[in-house]
Amino acid sequence: MPVLSAANKKSMRTPFSQAQNDELPIAGLARSAAAETACARTSAGVRPLRLLIGLQYYLPHRTGYTLHVQRVARALAARGHSVTVLTARHLPQLTPRETVEGVDVVRLPAPLRISRGAVMPGYPWHAWRLAAQADAIWISTPLLETSLWAMVARLRRRRLVVTHHGDLHLPAGALNRFIEGFTFANYRIAARAADAIVGYSDDYARFSPYLRPYADKVVVNYPPLEIPQPDAEGTARLRSRLAPQGGPVIGFAGRFVREKRPDVLLAAALLLRERFPGLRIAFAGQHQIGYEDTWQRCGELLQQVGDTAVFLGLIEDAQALADFYAACDVLALPSESECFALVQVEAMLCGTPVVTSDIPGARVPVQQTGMGRLFECGDARALAEAVAAVLAEPARYRRSRLQIEAVFDIERTVDRYEALFAGRAPAPAGSI
């Protein structure tokens, strides 16, 4: 198993069935001039806002939800809004306060960690103080402090917008069951207090026990997605390292944790290796995770797979990540729970098809673009067959970058957030 370095408002409350994004086939993606004008009016008609964002982690901590928040925060700051982030100082070398891409970032000491969460003793006071200067509060769930933000928003009479980044699923154990229950109870308090709850897709909202009970508040908004064009030379260099025998290369981008089911991909690799002797499985992301033992549990599979599996570690540079996606023939997402998975669309934007578990939320990018295949969750043989089908007919599953960008338009995502924070109903997504 080679390990390679990663070089390199009630009026706003619209049922989610009516507020979803363009979950339509690729053929119907053209945007009318009238729709473009409506988007421009939404942005231009909003007075400068003072937005306070509460979350556990912010950059340089890199997960799908931190990138989501960072991209929206940066875009809103560029539009002239005042944006402040209250978060954990999760690394000792980080400064307590700094401006990052026009965003004021306030970091608090977090001396205690519970599972994935950071406990910040000074958080309530700073939340209360900063909320006095804000027009709206935006929080991301799951979050330990959800009920705190609900109380602060109510007492300060501030708009509260909640973005739900996925239901919390932790490994087995009494402590983890308690954390899940506590988190869900806190979420329900915030959901009742929220002016709007943002979900990633109509599909996920219909099945999520977090979102479904609050359908009248849910506004569906695709996450903000961006990644640079792959560099041809960088992609070729990485490809030669990953697949000295020619490949194919199956990519996996994410943490090596149970809910993402890397064991299913490893088992599929054993089946695929019989058909593709030069096969490599390239893992990009953390594989040694302190809060669970998935790596240890997969020990026997890892031994069987041997040097077919290559571990690159976390790729933090956006260009290096784009080159990684482009170097892969297929990106596999075998998760058993996934709100959306930004990595799917990132791979598509880099020209790489995706094979994804057929579960709510995760299946949306493939369904909306046709750029890949779905397989039955947890079935290694089904995953192997789906990957083999894409490898057999790669042209059938390719779409242009422009087609993917037309579905997942970051400007449209920011427009809708801007309207929500301003207390206005966002333009109907289906008309854009």
Side-chain angles (χ1 to χ4, degrees), residues 78-417:
R79 293 184 181 191
H81 302 297
S82 174
V83 183
T84 300
V85 170
L86 182 62
T87 187
R89 189 180 178 189
H90 64 279
L91 297 173
Q93 64 267 32
L94 295 175
T95 57
R97 189 163 192 165
E98 65 176 327
T99 300
V100 180
E101 300 176 316
V103 177
D104 183 22
V105 182
V106 179
R107 297 190 181 94
L108 303 180
L112 179 63
R113 303 292 175 90
I114 301 178
S115 185
R116 305 177 193 176
V119 178
M120 296 166 272
Y123 203 90
W125 162 244
H126 286 276
W128 176 254
R129 179 179 61 84
L130 291 171
Q133 307 162 29
D135 299 307
I137 296 170
W138 180 28
I139 64 172
S140 293
T141 59
L143 177 69
L144 287 174
E145 296 86 4
T146 46
S147 58
L148 167 68
W149 282 114
M151 180 181 68
V152 168
R154 183 182 296 114
L155 294 176
R156 287 293 195 189
R157 298 184 179 180
R158 299 297 189 255
R159 286 185 297 280
L160 177 63
V161 175
V162 177
T163 294
H164 185 58
H165 297 273
D167 303 348
L168 182 63
H169 298 284
L170 296 174
L175 176 60
N176 283 337
R177 295 293 76 75
F178 170 79
I179 294 171
E180 286 183 351
F182 176 82
T183 300
F184 185 55
N186 270 279
Y187 166 83
R188 290 167 59 189
I189 294 171
R192 290 194 292 268
D195 293 280
I197 304 172
V198 176
Y200 278 31
S201 71
D202 178 72
D203 181 46
Y204 191 79
R206 289 182 184 279
F207 288 90
S208 167
Y210 280 70
L211 295 177
R212 191 173 57 246
Y214 306 98
D216 63 321
K217 294 187 178 186
V218 172
V219 176
V220 172
N221 199 17
Y222 286 147
L225 290 143
E226 60 181 18
I227 193 163
Q229 291 271 9
D231 174 71
E233 292 185 4
T235 298
R237 284 195 301 269
L238 179 58
R239 174 82 186 193
S240 66
R241 293 170 59 206
L242 292 176
Q245 299 178 45
V249 177
I250 312 304
F252 176 100
R255 291 167 295 125
F256 199 97
V257 294
R258 175 172 173 75
E259 68 187 87
K260 295 191 180 293
R261 297 305 303 270
D263 58 308
V264 176
L265 179 56
L266 291 170
L270 296 175
L271 300 172
L272 287 165
R273 197 165 57 178
E274 298 174 4
R275 289 192 245 180
F276 305 99
L279 176 78
R280 282 294 182 93
I281 308 294
F283 287 85
Q286 291 178 286
H287 54 278
Q288 301 283 6
I289 307 295
Y291 54 79
E292 65 168 74
D293 60 353
T294 301
W295 177 264
Q296 290 76 17
R297 288 176 176 269
C298 290
E300 185 176 344
L301 269 175
L302 288 165
Q303 285 186 353
Q304 293 176 31
V305 170
D307 62 5
T308 295
V310 181
F311 292 87
L312 300 171
L314 181 63
I315 301 178
E316 299 192 54
D317 179 75
Q319 185 62 64
L321 185 59
D323 296 347
F324 164 75
Y325 290 130
C328 297
D329 295 285
V330 182
L331 183 81
L333 186 80
S335 303
E336 65 182 14
S337 173
E338 198 74 66
C339 180
F340 186 88
L342 277 64
V343 297
Q344 295 187 87
V345 181
E346 290 174 344
M348 292 175 181
L349 288 167
C350 296
T352 301
V354 175
V355 172
T356 302
S357 298
D358 188 5
I359 58 174
R363 60 193 172 202
V364 169
V366 169
Q367 289 176 331
Q368 297 312 302
T369 64
M371 195 168 173
R373 290 179 67 102
L374 303 176
F375 74 97
E376 184 177 352
C377 181
D379 187 334
R381 187 168 297 278
L383 171 56
E385 292 297 330
V387 168
V390 174
L391 293 175
E393 297 183 275
R396 177 180 174 184
Y397 300 100
R398 290 207 179 101
R399 302 292 183 269
S400 72
R401 187 179 179 102
L402 286 176
Q403 285 178 300
I404 303 303
E405 288 175 337
V407 181
F408 304 105
D409 182 345
I410 187 170
E411 288 302 313
R412 183 166 64 216
T413 294
V414 175
D415 286 345
R416 289 171 66 75
Y417 267 121

